[in-house]
Amino acid sequence: MNSIFKTVASSNITISELMLPSHTNFSGKIHGGYILSLLDQIAFACASKFSGNYCVTASVDTVDFLRPIEVGELVTMKASVNYVGNSSMIIGIRVESENIQTGKINHCNSSYFTMVSKHKDGTNAKVPGLLLSDLEEVRRFCNCIKQISLKKEKDRHEENFNYSSIETLDSLAKYNVLVQIS
């Protein structure tokens, strides 16, 4: 058991950036790849701040693009540690866009990144325990436990699932797919 615990609040990071025409995709909206790059940066900053070590991205567990972001809007990202393991942390990130002329704020994106704390030699570094201070932090932690469990179940299913069985191949007929295996 950990003897050092840090609060969720000690991990909080907020960044804001004005969205420029150079950040757009072919439809004139802010490119999702640009937002992903910013998400990775804030996840790194949040995890490194909490752990006190260099951190690497182990997985991008969820990225839900809820609404497009327009040129000229101010994008604010808020990140915090939602879960800790031995050397890993799940970082929750909320993305909001603000029309700076009207003040209207939209929730645009929610994301969860798994980050791993590293020693200078590249080996995994232990992270502090997480001190949960309110029921919202408990809810987020419990949701992470559920997500981890679902991920493990999915991995077990894929290891054991027989993709080549007649039953599996026949069951694909209800989808928009044609199977022609030589």
Side-chain angles (χ1 to χ4, degrees):
M1 184 91 169
N2 242 331
S3 60
I4 298 172
F5 288 83
K6 286 184 166 182
T7 63
V8 171
S10 73
S11 73
N12 290 349
I13 297 274
T14 301
I15 61 170
S16 295
E17 185 172 328
L18 185 65
M19 295 295 105
L20 304 173
S22 61
H23 303 141
T24 59
N25 59 23
F26 292 111
S27 69
K29 307 296 183 195
I30 300 306
H31 195 285
Y34 184 71
I35 298 301
L36 283 169
S37 173
L38 294 176
L39 289 167
D40 194 48
Q41 289 175 40
I42 195 170
F44 166 81
C46 181
S48 295
K49 178 181 179 183
F50 183 81
S51 70
N53 293 308
Y54 178 78
C55 294
V56 296
T57 305
S59 68
V60 179
D61 301 311
T62 307
V63 180
D64 293 323
F65 291 100
L66 305 173
R67 52 187 321 136
I69 300 171
E70 306 290 338
V71 171
E73 290 185 326
L74 184 66
V75 168
T76 299
M77 297 185 176
K78 300 171 185 176
S80 64
V81 173
N82 288 356
Y83 171 89
V84 296
N86 290 319
S87 60
S88 65
M89 298 153 280
I90 296 177
I91 311 301
I93 309 165
R94 180 181 174 94
V95 180
E96 297 175 337
S97 66
E98 179 181 0
N99 180 312
I100 57 177
Q101 294 167 334
T102 67
K104 184 174 184 202
I105 296 174
N106 289 312
H107 179 203
C108 301
N109 185 300
S110 290
S111 301
Y112 299 91
F113 280 56
T114 299
M115 307 296 289
V116 177
S117 177
K118 296 289 188 176
H119 290 294
K120 290 188 189 319
D121 66 2
T123 59
N124 290 357
K126 192 167 180 62
V127 297
L130 190 61
L131 176 62
L132 304 175
S133 304
D134 61 39
L135 289 177
E136 179 62 16
E137 292 172 1
V138 171
R139 182 188 68 78
R140 289 178 180 161
F141 189 88
C142 289
N143 281 345
C144 289
I145 292 171
K146 182 178 176 184
Q147 285 304 115
I148 292 166
S149 175
L150 290 171
K151 197 177 195 183
K152 287 180 181 175
E153 181 61 32
K154 178 182 172 278
D155 290 345
R156 274 193 298 276
H157 172 76
E158 287 189 12
E159 285 175 11
N160 298 322
F161 188 74
N162 183 353
Y163 294 94
S164 62
S165 74
I166 296 298
E167 295 82 16
T168 299
L169 295 172
D170 287 346
S171 74
L172 298 178
K174 65 184 175 187
Y175 299 99
N176 188 19
V177 64
L178 178 61
V179 179
Q180 292 183 331
I181 300 173
S182 312

